[in-house]
Every structure is written in C-alpha cells, then in structure tokens.
Amino acid sequence: MASRSRHTSHSQASIITLYDTNVQHGYSAQSWAPNIWRIRFILNYKQLPYKTVWVEFADVETTLRSIGAPPSVIRSDGRSVYSLPVLIDPTNTPYTPVILSNTNNISEYLESRYPSPAVFPAGSRALQSLFAHYIQEVFAKPLLPIMVPISHQQLSDRSQRHLRNNPSSLSAAYNPQGYSSSNPLPLGPQREQAWLAVKEQFDFIDTIMAKNVGDGDGIVVMGREVSYADFVLCSILLWIVHIAPQDWARVRNWNGGRWVRLWERCKPYMQEH
C-alpha cells in the first residue's frame, strides 16, 4: 500500500517512489529499517517529492523483479539477492525511469542528480563514506543481538514465517552482519551485558564527535551543518526509538545527552511520506 505524499502539486505517477518495509503501530505503518531511513533522510533534506510503497519481506524478490529492479547484491556463487530499499525516479525520463537498489547506490545517485542542498559537502564524500561504513559494520554490530530479535517480533506473522525460512532476507534491510533473527533475545544479566557493549561504541563515537567542539557545534559530524554522516547515525537512533522505545530511555541519557541533541538536529527531516 502506498502512502500519500505531502507534495500534492505533483502527480503521484511522476514523483519518486521508495520501496520500504514496515511495522504496524496501531493503525499506521511505520518505517524503521536503518538503511532505508538513510534514504528517507536524504529525500526529506533535499525536499524531493516522493511516495512509499510498503512491501512484505515475503514479497520483496517477487515485487522487485516485477518492476525491473536490479539485485542489491550478487553473491560469489552468482546468485542475485533482492532487498530493500529500492528507489524509482521517473522525474527526468518518465518512460524510462531510473530504478536503483542498494543504499549506497541510491545515496550517491540522489546526491549527483539533486546536488543542492548537499548531504556530502565538497571534499567530504570519501570521509563520510568511510564513517558510514564504520557505523554499519562496527558501531551497529553489538546492537544486533538485541535489535534483530525485537525487530523480527514486530513484523507481521507472514513476514516472521518468511524470515525464519529465509534468514538472509534480513541482511540489507537492517542486519549487515548477517545475524540470525532466530537467535533468542538476551534476557536479564545477558541483556545488560549486551547493552554495555553497545555503550562502548556510543562512547567511542562521542569522543570522535566531541573533537568538533571549538571549530563546530560539537553535535554534528561535519561541524555545524547536518550531513549524510549524521543521517547514518540518526537512522540507528530511529531504529531503537521505533522498535525498542524502552531502551531509548537509556540511550538518550548517555554521553551527556548528545544523542538527544543529534536527534533534534535531524528531526526536521524525519517525515514519512
């Protein structure tokens, strides 16, 4: 089901379409996967009109093949893997729209096609890309034993059954390390130990971002203006807020409230269309 865009001056057929997966909170569908939120942040920051098509995990490959989307990954054995996000941009050539998969590819395209306002300020693309890689592959790793099982539990029954049978379907949406959603959620002391490992990563990034104090505001990665790197970090915060709000209560108090301040800086770009 597609959501309605707030940009009513454009035909729904001629605006960007973002393919996403959701959890149901009450009567509304809610975006939550960090890699997909990176794209939402860029679209919102650049004020690009777009709509969302929600796709069940069980339907991802069928849906993406039907629209001609490229695979997000081709494995070493030659097998194509289809995963979200996928973006279709018909705004320049509606009869042959641009269809992209893979978060990094989509981010690069949006910045090149719609350069202003920039999420990669001049000369920062390499360093920001390295920062984003660190957040995904290192910073987020200790979160997986906590967040993957909780995320799994909040999907539809049909999606849960599909993921139990096809655990690799998780990878591109929110599980870059390939952590199995069938692993049990740590409880009691094990859960607290897991959160201590998470806090070590937050503490490290806090020391890095604090280096901007003096020649920046000490809140955002690039000094004073939000950029792609902030959106990458805030996508992780959104994951926690949407899937494990009880745990956001602890994270928001870490590092002198740094993560709440970053949240507030990114909040103007959190619309869901």
Side-chain angles (χ1 to χ4, degrees):
M1 178 181 69
S3 67
R4 293 181 62 85
S5 169
R6 66 191 175 106
H7 300 271
T8 56
S9 62
H10 291 253
S11 164
Q12 288 289 303
S14 65
I15 66 174
I16 291 169
T17 300
L18 177 65
Y19 285 74
D20 194 356
T21 190
N22 62 61
V23 292
Q24 287 291 136
H25 284 177
Y27 295 101
S28 63
Q30 187 172 71
S31 178
W32 58 275
N35 282 2
I36 305 176
W37 257 106
R38 294 189 194 187
I39 305 305
R40 286 190 181 277
F41 271 124
I42 295 172
L43 292 167
N44 293 334
Y45 183 74
K46 293 178 179 293
Q47 298 184 343
L48 298 173
Y50 71 98
K51 61 182 178 180
T52 299
V53 172
W54 302 112
V55 185
E56 288 263 1
F57 272 108
D59 300 325
V60 166
E61 181 168 349
T62 301
T63 300
L64 299 189
R65 284 183 179 275
S66 73
I67 63 173
S72 57
V73 175
I74 298 179
R75 298 195 184 279
S76 57
D77 61 5
R79 185 167 63 92
S80 297
V81 177
Y82 290 84
S83 61
L84 302 172
V86 161
L87 181 138
I88 299 179
D89 184 3
T91 58
N92 193 38
T93 54
Y95 297 107
T96 55
V98 175
I99 305 177
L100 295 166
S101 61
N102 186 294
T103 302
N104 292 333
N105 293 342
I106 297 171
S107 301
E108 292 280 348
Y109 167 79
L110 291 173
E111 182 73 347
S112 298
R113 176 71 177 84
Y114 306 99
S116 181
V119 295
F120 293 101
S124 73
R125 193 171 301 214
L127 288 177
Q128 285 206 71
S129 297
L130 185 61
F131 183 91
H133 180 81
Y134 180 88
I135 295 300
Q136 178 168 304
E137 301 297 333
V138 180
F139 175 85
K141 188 173 182 178
L143 269 169
L144 301 182
I146 302 167
M147 294 299 299
V148 170
I150 299 175
S151 301
H152 182 107
Q153 292 165 8
Q154 296 188 39
L155 299 172
S156 70
D157 291 342
R158 182 166 177 257
S159 286
Q160 289 189 43
R161 288 194 301 272
H162 173 76
L163 293 176
R164 281 194 292 271
N165 296 327
N166 302 274
S168 63
S169 299
L170 295 168
S171 58
Y174 66 105
N175 185 16
Q177 302 291 332
Y179 185 84
S180 173
S181 64
S182 62
N183 288 5
L185 177 69
L187 300 173
Q190 286 184 322
R191 181 180 175 86
E192 291 308 308
Q193 194 66 34
W195 274 107
L196 286 175
V198 172
K199 188 174 186 301
E200 287 181 4
Q201 287 296 328
F202 274 84
D203 289 345
F204 174 72
I205 294 297
D206 172 62
T207 63
I208 297 301
M209 296 177 71
K211 294 180 183 296
N212 282 336
V213 175
D215 59 354
D217 61 15
I219 298 173
V220 298
V221 175
M222 291 298 297
R224 300 187 184 278
E225 302 298 331
V226 294
S227 64
Y228 182 65
D230 300 300
F231 296 153
V232 171
L233 256 178
C234 208
S235 292
I236 300 293
L237 302 183
L238 272 162
W239 188 20
I240 298 170
V241 169
H242 287 174
I243 298 297
Q246 72 281 3
D247 288 310
W248 171 242
R250 74 172 84 208
V251 175
R252 65 179 291 127
N253 292 318
W254 288 348
N255 308 118
R258 169 181 295 285
W259 312 113
V260 174
R261 292 193 294 275
L262 178 62
W263 175 280
E264 290 300 322
R265 290 294 297 274
C266 294
K267 189 174 181 179
Y269 316 110
M270 291 183 186
Q271 305 95 338
E272 294 186 40
H273 300 174

